[in-house]
């Protein structure tokens, strides 16, 4: 790729398994400050919480749909 600097930020699931990666590259050698690394870590944690929330909402919606179908079938 022709890069001299790279940084990756892990996106982890609730069970601490790797879900994805944010990968940053630069054509020149760079040193990333502590503040920027901390901000990137916060971004990754925020994204993880958001993804978990979306997954839980989807699971709840599916459960509600299944419960509704069950109720409808029992009524018939």
């Amino acid at each position: 790729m022709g890069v001299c600097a790279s940084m990756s930020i892990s996106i982890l699931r609730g069970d601490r398994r790797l879900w994805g990666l944010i990968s940053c590259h630069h054509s020149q050698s760079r040193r990333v400050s502590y503040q920027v690394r901390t901000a990137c870590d916060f971004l990754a944690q925020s994204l993880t919480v958001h993804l978990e929330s979306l997954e839980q909402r989807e699971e709840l919606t599916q459960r509600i749909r299944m419960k509704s179908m069950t109720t409808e079938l029992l009524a018939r």
Side-chain angles (χ1 to χ4, degrees):
M1 288 179 26
V3 298
C4 291
S6 66
M7 178 175 78
S8 61
I9 305 156
S10 300
I11 307 297
L12 303 174
R13 294 182 56 117
D15 54 5
R16 309 308 291 169
R17 286 187 314 163
L18 184 64
W19 184 88
L21 218 57
I22 298 172
S23 185
C24 308
H25 308 285
H26 199 276
S27 60
Q28 299 174 359
S29 182
R30 294 192 58 152
R31 191 168 293 275
V32 180
S33 70
Y34 173 77
Q35 290 84 2
V36 170
R37 291 193 313 268
T38 302
C40 290
D41 186 45
F42 177 75
L43 173 68
Q45 289 177 22
S46 298
L47 183 57
T48 296
V49 168
H50 182 68
L51 290 171
E52 287 175 351
S53 174
L54 289 175
E55 286 179 348
Q56 288 174 356
R57 184 174 67 181
E58 186 177 311
E59 185 179 310
L60 181 60
T61 300
Q62 182 67 18
R63 282 187 196 171
I64 291 170
R65 190 176 316 137
M66 296 300 283
K67 184 70 172 172
S68 176
M69 290 172 67
T70 301
T71 302
E72 185 180 331
L73 286 172
L74 289 172
R76 289 181 184 198

